[in-house]
Amino acid sequence: HVQLVESGGGSVQAGGSLTLSCAVAGLSSSYNCMAWFRQVPGKEREGVATIDNNGGGIYYADYVKDRFTISQDLVNHVLYLQMDSLKPEDTAVYYCASRGGICSTSDVSGGVPSFAYWGQGTQVTVS
């Protein structure tokens, strides 16, 4: 039974920082692509960043590149998203997700249907 549980969302002023966490349990595949997505009400869910469970496959969407950093703690099975220089347009519900296999650039640009497992989301509000 796969479980992804996000935490760390909240409200922050523009220019501030937040770190999201995603506790991961139950993944059995040797190769997993882990990712962060986000969604604003009324808009499609969009990719943010990806990372393979072997540490490779790090890709960022252009709108977060150089501001966000994806990382993971493989011992404790936690996925992170460090978000710096936050902008009001970063306001969204952020989801972590997983699928089998290795990450590719297409996961960030349009990979939502490929991901089998999703967390419940955590709200990030930037004002």
Side-chain angles (χ1 to χ4, degrees):
H1 178 61
V2 178
Q3 274 194 312
L4 305 176
V5 181
E6 302 96 336
S7 61
S11 297
V12 65
Q13 291 189 334
S17 298
L18 278 176
T19 300
L20 304 183
S21 301
C22 175
V24 181
L27 291 178
S28 59
S29 174
S30 297
Y31 299 95
N32 287 290
C33 175
M34 305 299 300
W36 288 97
F37 290 84
R38 68 186 187 185
Q39 188 169 23
V40 174
K43 294 190 175 181
E44 290 188 354
R45 194 167 296 187
E46 61 183 15
V48 174
T50 68
I51 186 169
D52 290 331
N53 62 348
N54 65 2
I58 296 178
Y59 303 107
Y60 295 97
D62 288 343
Y63 35 82
V64 303
K65 201 171 292 182
D66 300 326
R67 299 189 298 121
F68 290 12
T69 303
I70 191 171
S71 63
Q72 59 190 343
D73 178 345
L74 294 174
V75 173
N76 295 300
H77 307 290
V78 181
L79 178 71
Y80 297 103
L81 185 69
Q82 173 68 39
M83 305 184 295
D84 298 317
S85 302
L86 283 161
K87 305 174 181 180
E89 50 264 44
D90 294 318
T91 296
V93 177
Y94 283 73
Y95 298 89
C96 69
S98 176
R99 65 167 180 81
I102 60 174
C103 301
S104 69
T105 55
S106 62
D107 289 313
V108 174
S109 60
V112 171
S114 301
F115 285 78
Y117 304 108
W118 293 86
Q120 83 288 351
T122 186
Q123 176 71 46
V124 172
T125 302
V126 185
S127 59

